[in-house]
């Protein structure tokens, strides 16, 4: 089975919808089947604009659940999975890939994950979702977490053709 995970890095612009299951991290401009949202800030955006995730199935975290319950929006989603504990430096992209591997996807394409090959943590959602700039080296920690996915047939699209994850780490 084939899946695409849409991140928020600048290279998401090279993604064009094709065949396969599509899992989007946080807020996406492209059509997705499921959203992976691990923290509260994208849900805060949702409270101001229901179109962001309306009717989508989501993968989220126990960390975000109190916000969903307190704002009485937990019933507005089909929750496919709740990550019980967010390990340090775990992103929605890591959670998405974990879920896909658990569901036996054998071909996983990553789009918009620039921090894997470039020293950046810039995202397309920076103007929508405020985040701390205090830690300027998150990409280093995120890249270290990607190490565990070597050998899973993951293709990272730093170009349209893509590159095997192993070759970038």
């Amino acid at each position: 089975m084939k899946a695409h995970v849409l991140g928020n890095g600048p290279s998401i612009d090279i993604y064009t919808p094709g065949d396969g299951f599509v899992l989007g991290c946080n807020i996406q401009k492209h059509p997705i089947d499921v959203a992976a949202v691990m923290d509260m800030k994208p849900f805060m955006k949702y409270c101001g604009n229901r179109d962001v995730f309306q009717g989508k199935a989501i993968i989220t975290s126990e960390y975000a659940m109190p916000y969903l319950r307190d704002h009485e929006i937990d019933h507005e989603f089909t929750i496919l999975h709740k990550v019980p504990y967010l390990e340090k430096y775990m992103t929605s992209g890591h959670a998405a890939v974990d879920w896909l591997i658990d569901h036996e996807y054998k071909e996983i394409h990553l789009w918009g994950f620039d921090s894997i090959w470039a020293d950046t943590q810039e995202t397309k959602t920076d103007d929508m979702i405020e985040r701390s700039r205090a830690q300027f080296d998150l990409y280093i920690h995120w890249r270290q977490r990607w190490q565990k996915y070597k050998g899973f047939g993951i293709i990272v699209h730093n170009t349209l053709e893509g590159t095997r994850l192993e070759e970038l780490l």
Side-chain angles (χ1 to χ4, degrees):
M1 292 190 304
K2 180 178 183 178
H4 301 274
V5 181
L6 309 184
N8 297 113
S11 70
I12 191 63
D13 290 341
I14 66 173
Y15 171 75
T16 53
D19 62 327
F21 185 80
V22 181
L23 206 159
C25 297
N26 299 313
I27 298 170
Q28 290 294 322
K29 68 177 182 179
H30 297 286
I32 60 173
D33 297 305
V34 172
V37 185
M38 295 298 113
D39 74 35
M40 295 172 281
K41 288 181 181 176
F43 289 117
M44 290 175 189
K45 181 73 174 173
Y46 171 81
C47 285
N49 179 2
R50 291 296 204 262
D51 292 338
V52 173
F53 303 120
Q54 188 67 39
K56 292 291 176 209
I58 62 169
I59 297 166
T60 191
S61 65
E62 287 293 345
Y63 171 76
M65 286 306 296
Y67 184 87
L68 274 68
R69 284 189 291 271
D70 291 349
H71 290 81
E72 299 179 359
I73 59 172
D74 54 326
H75 67 281
E76 297 182 26
F77 309 101
T78 300
I79 298 174
L80 299 179
H81 178 67
K82 287 182 263 186
V83 175
Y85 172 74
L86 278 182
E87 298 172 25
K88 193 167 188 175
Y89 305 119
M90 182 179 199
T91 67
S92 57
H94 298 113
V97 170
D98 285 343
W99 189 85
L100 291 167
I101 289 170
D102 288 348
H103 287 82
E104 301 184 10
Y105 282 85
K106 301 295 183 205
E107 183 180 342
I108 300 171
H109 295 260
L110 303 181
W111 303 84
F113 286 86
D114 298 55
S115 62
I116 292 175
W117 75 85
D119 296 347
T120 184
Q121 52 202 46
E122 176 189 353
T123 76
K124 291 287 190 169
T125 58
D126 283 349
D127 60 339
M128 289 185 269
I129 300 172
E130 182 181 328
R131 66 184 171 117
S132 171
R133 302 282 181 213
Q135 190 164 358
F136 58 87
D137 63 348
L138 285 172
Y139 65 90
I140 295 168
H141 303 287
W142 295 338
R143 199 175 293 154
Q144 289 169 346
R145 287 196 60 85
W146 285 114
Q147 295 285 336
K148 81 175 197 174
Y149 300 101
K150 287 181 175 180
F152 280 100
I154 294 173
I155 307 297
V156 180
H157 288 273
N158 53 343
T159 64
L160 280 175
E161 297 78 33
T163 305
R164 296 190 66 73
L165 180 67
E166 296 82 18
E167 296 172 29
L168 293 172
L169 298 175

